[in-house]
Amino acid sequence: MNVPEQYKDSVDSLKNGGFEIGSTWYHGTTSGLLPNIQSKGLVGSGDVDFNAATAKAMKTIGAEFTESKDPIFLTPSKEMAYFWAQEKTNVRNQRFGGDEKPVVLEVSLPETLQASVHPDVGAAAMFMTGEHQYLTQLDAYYVARGVTLKDSSGSGWNRESYLTQFGLAYLDHTIPPESVKAI
């Protein structure tokens, strides 16, 4: 993956073989969602267009659609957020035929929300197969900084490892627009 310079983290972003966790987080999204995020903040399952298109498709084939409430996914790395921004952009461009661009958001959480960030252990399924592109990108991230990712299978990792080793976190609360800035 070719990462634009403004999204590259410093070599110092990995401390003791894991991500340095602070009060600043990053979220990868797409330019098509940016105006809504800037006015309403980051909202779980906030892609209204995608949800409406999915509901319509399900109705067309005679199936029921139950919208799930996804949390807001965060990472301590701009570079890893860019990976997810590309993923979201590709999905929306395929679905809507647009020309959206990846966007990385810097998220400065109020202290009251900082304590509500959790390691994303729900990503365990991604590690079980060992074939997800995120793992390839994560490994390249470590190698570029002269660090070896201990074990990308996720087996035997404690809950905190999903955050510190894999850079995967989530928040179940809306993040106000004043806490979010596009970089």
Side-chain angles (χ1 to χ4, degrees), residues 2 13 18 23 30 35 47 60 74 82 93 103 106-107 127-128 179:
N2 217 1
S13 60
S23 60
T30 180
D47 190 342
T60 300
L74 301 169
Y82 182 73
N93 284 342
V103 175
E106 182 178 286
V107 179
F127 295 106
M128 287 179 187
S179 297

Side-chain angles (χ1 to χ4, degrees), residues 26-49:
Y26 301 95
H27 177 81
T29 191
T30 180
S31 58
L33 297 176
L34 192 56
N36 195 41
I37 292 168
Q38 290 173 324
S39 69
K40 297 180 182 170
L42 277 168
V43 179
S45 300
D47 190 342
V48 176
D49 297 332

